[in-house]
Amino acid sequence: QAQLVESGGDLVQSGGSLRLSCTASGISFSFYKLSWYRQAPGKERELVASLSADRKTDYLDSVKGRFTISRDNGKKAVYLQMNSLKPEGTAVYYCNAGLEARAIWGPGTQVTVSS
């Protein structure tokens, strides 16, 4: 059974850092495009960062230079290093794995940035 589980969400002060992790099971991990999304209260879910199987990255403009997505295929894990966090970064962060028409989601992890 395909499954993603996120961890690392926490309460952090503005300007602080967090590293989110997402581990996968039940999929051929190295073939998947991996992404981090977030959803703030009352807002739509948005794509924060993505990393293709051939390691091409894409970032939301507002996080460029502050967030870094990476993957470890051996550990079936994807990470999101978040630096210089801002209060507008408060959201539930979701891990996503996509391959052709298949999309797998994790349950999310809460990140709260206090001002």
Side-chain angles (χ1 to χ4, degrees), residues 29-55:
F29 186 81
S30 63
F31 294 102
Y32 279 72
K33 179 178 182 179
L34 306 169
S35 304
W36 286 96
Y37 288 75
R38 67 186 180 190
Q39 187 166 19
K43 295 189 176 182
E44 293 188 354
R45 191 172 297 190
E46 63 180 355
L47 176 63
V48 176
S50 63
L51 177 57
S52 67
D54 59 357
R55 300 190 182 268

Side-chain angles (χ1 to χ4, degrees), residues 4 10 14 22 25-26 28 37 51 56 58 61-62 74 88 106 114:
L4 299 174
D10 206 344
S14 181
C22 172
S25 60
S28 298
Y37 288 75
L51 177 57
K56 294 178 181 176
D58 191 22
D61 282 348
S62 61
E88 53 263 41
S114 64

Side-chain angles (χ1 to χ4, degrees), residues 86-106:
K86 303 177 181 180
E88 53 263 41
T90 294
V92 178
Y93 284 71
Y94 297 92
C95 178
N96 170 276
L99 179 62
E100 297 178 349
R102 190 182 193 192
I104 305 161
W105 292 90

